[in-house]
Amino acid sequence: MNSPPIGLTAPPTTSAAGLRRTMLVMLGLVSMFNYIDRTVLSVLQEPIKRELALSDGQLGLLTGLAFALFYATLSLPIARLADRFNRRNIIAASLATWSGMTALSGLATGFGSLVAFRIGVALGEAGSVPASHSIIADYYPPEKRVTALALWGLALPAGIMLGYASGGWIAAALGWRLAFGVIGVAGLALAPLVLLLVREPARTGSGPSIRTEKAPPLGEAMRFLWRLRTYRYMLIGTTLHAFAQYAMMSWSAPFYMRVHHMPLADVASWLALMNGLGGGIGIYLGGRLSDAAGSRNPAGRVWVSAAAMLLMVPAALVQFLIPSLTASLAFGFLATMLMFFYYGPIIGVPQSVVPPRIRALTSAVTLLVFNLFGLGLGPAVTGFLSDHLSAAGMEDTSLRYALSAVVLFSLAGAGSIAWASRFYAGDLKEH
């Protein structure tokens, strides 16, 4: 007898559970390489800056806007393809594309060529995340979805950890160019395994008011998303938070090298621990605590993120302002853990109030807004602010105060997400 299709209605058989585990592990590995390839540039900024004679503003554009502009805008049309065609194949092709462009980044001769290669990485990575969200939502029912997506999201801190560690260690031993090459080739080797081991699930599950077997027109889907007040205010809040988050992630390595005079290998090790362990604890706790709070009150799936963002701000300010390196690293670990609490809820909550055929689109819209403002502007604004403060005579401390300023965006983000929690129960009942 054939196994039933895996989806929201699949029974908890051994084969179904095995398929879920295999799928989650493989998509997690893909996502991990997504963040390895994205993080490696951040940890290599100082040697790249010296060899290619770049400014902080140019580095901010490389790690931020030059990448985010294409990553965010291309995710929308590719997500429309994922809502219509085989999502596994799109993910495998995306992985091969961005890994190849990462390897080629080691051949860069200046700012222009490095920008071109980063645009190629963005093109590839734009196709992976929305399709992955959609597949996972079809494998897991709503009551388990946030936890499942949070487990998948552990690839983020794992990827950041490996990106910092491998990029820093390879660069210290062999140079920054070979660091790009080795990491890119490793990602290319994973692409055929995705085709072999990931099974495309049936698109199942109960959907809200625009139920359809086909993906609805883009305008109708966008109007539907805008009417969901939970999604609207969560998106605003996480976008404001992302402005601070990506600035911190992009500039932590230069901060510790310049302000605390740590060598590259030590910075790579500490940031790998901070983001890998701290970020992983944050994502896991954010998902589990959100589902636990939601079992008593649906709004709990939302307000847990707001509380974590609020607590992150003072911890991050201490991290960047305190003169002690040991204290800075300790508070940095705490700030990083709290910073990632939102990850499971911002994916899982919207997936529970939209129909199956716009799930990839929903994630793509989130990525579009989140990354254009957060990833695109956070690192760039921080870099230009650092340049301005340095020109004003604060060269040794410019990055310290630039980072402290952008962290405050998370306060506004916490307020918006707290407001979103008022509407979640109503959106669930309405749809």
Side-chain angles (χ1 to χ4, degrees):
M1 181 179 294
N2 293 330
S3 299
I6 298 299
L8 298 181
T9 58
T13 62
T14 301
S15 62
L19 283 170
R20 288 190 180 100
R21 285 193 296 269
T22 300
M23 174 277 307
L24 202 58
V25 168
M26 290 305 301
L27 294 186
L29 287 173
V30 172
S31 182
M32 185 178 71
F33 270 93
N34 182 318
Y35 290 103
I36 290 174
D37 290 6
R38 194 181 307 182
T39 302
V40 67
L41 177 60
S42 296
V43 76
L44 299 179
Q45 284 183 91
E46 290 298 287
I48 291 173
K49 177 179 180 176
R50 288 193 297 268
E51 182 171 333
L52 301 184
L54 304 182
S55 68
D56 279 356
Q58 288 175 313
L59 289 173
L61 289 174
L62 279 169
T63 56
L65 191 59
F67 177 89
L69 183 63
F70 291 89
Y71 175 70
T73 54
L74 290 170
S75 66
L76 194 60
I78 298 176
R80 294 294 282 172
L81 295 177
D83 281 331
R84 289 172 166 81
F85 301 107
N86 188 293
R87 293 161 287 184
R88 177 203 61 189
N89 295 345
I90 290 173
I91 291 168
S94 298
L95 171 62
T97 300
W98 88 63
S99 296
M101 298 306 290
T102 296
L104 290 174
S105 297
L107 303 177
T109 57
F111 178 71
S113 57
L114 196 50
V115 166
F117 291 132
R118 293 305 291 172
I119 290 173
V121 173
L123 171 63
E125 293 189 0
S128 172
V129 175
S132 295
H133 290 174
S134 179
I135 288 178
I136 294 169
D138 279 335
Y139 270 89
Y140 288 89
E143 63 272 15
K144 296 181 179 179
R145 193 170 292 148
V146 170
T147 297
L149 285 163
L151 289 172
W152 170 83
L154 291 175
L156 189 159
I160 294 173
M161 177 179 67
L162 291 174
Y164 277 127
S166 61
W169 296 339
I170 295 171
L174 303 173
W176 64 268
R177 295 183 183 277
L178 277 178
F180 279 121
V182 170
I183 291 169
V185 170
L188 282 170
L190 180 63
L193 293 178
V194 174
L195 294 174
L196 181 65
L197 297 175
V198 175
R199 171 178 163 184
E200 176 76 5
R203 299 180 193 263
T204 57
S206 59
S209 58
I210 58 171
R211 290 191 187 108
T212 176
E213 292 301 315
K214 297 181 179 180
L218 179 61
E220 180 184 354
M222 296 294 285
R223 287 191 294 273
F224 175 80
L225 287 176
W226 179 252
R227 290 195 301 268
L228 288 174
R229 292 175 294 181
T230 304
Y231 178 71
R232 187 195 317 164
Y233 292 114
M234 284 192 75
L235 179 60
I236 292 170
T238 50
T239 299
L240 290 166
H241 177 61
F243 189 93
Q245 174 191 346
Y246 281 114
M248 293 167 64
M249 291 169 60
S250 296
W251 286 104
S252 286
F255 166 78
Y256 281 109
M257 292 178 72
R258 295 182 198 175
V259 176
H260 293 285
H261 310 293
M262 294 179 69
L264 176 59
D266 290 348
V267 169
S269 298
W270 279 105
L271 291 182
L273 178 65
M274 186 184 298
N275 288 275
L277 183 58
I281 291 172
I283 288 178
Y284 179 75
L285 287 180
R288 292 302 298 266
L289 292 176
S290 294
D291 273 344
S295 67
R296 297 187 293 272
N297 178 1
R301 285 196 172 88
V302 182
W303 62 252
V304 166
S305 299
M309 284 182 196
L310 185 64
L311 293 172
M312 185 212 79
V313 173
L317 289 175
V318 174
Q319 174 190 1
F320 296 124
L321 294 175
I322 198 165
S324 166
L325 172 60
T326 301
S328 175
L329 291 170
F331 277 93
F333 185 94
L334 176 61
T336 302
M337 183 184 71
L338 294 168
M339 180 172 70
F340 283 110
F341 261 60
Y342 77 94
Y343 196 83
I346 189 55
I347 302 169
V349 168
Q351 295 286 323
S352 296
V353 292
V354 301
R357 283 289 181 176
I358 67 166
R359 282 177 178 152
L361 175 67
T362 301
S363 290
V365 171
T366 302
L367 291 174
L368 175 66
V369 179
F370 181 93
N371 285 296
L372 275 180
F373 184 77
L375 175 58
L377 296 181
V381 169
T382 305
F384 285 118
L385 181 56
S386 176
D387 282 339
H388 177 75
L389 293 174
S390 180
M394 302 173 63
E395 184 174 355
D396 293 338
T397 57
S398 61
L399 196 51
R400 163 176 277 163
Y401 292 109
L403 282 165
S404 298
V406 298
V407 161
L408 300 178
F409 276 78
S410 287
L411 289 177
S416 184
I417 290 182
W419 186 255
S421 68
R422 295 163 49 92
F423 307 109
Y424 182 51
D427 284 340
L428 282 175
K429 290 178 182 178
E430 182 179 349
H431 302 299

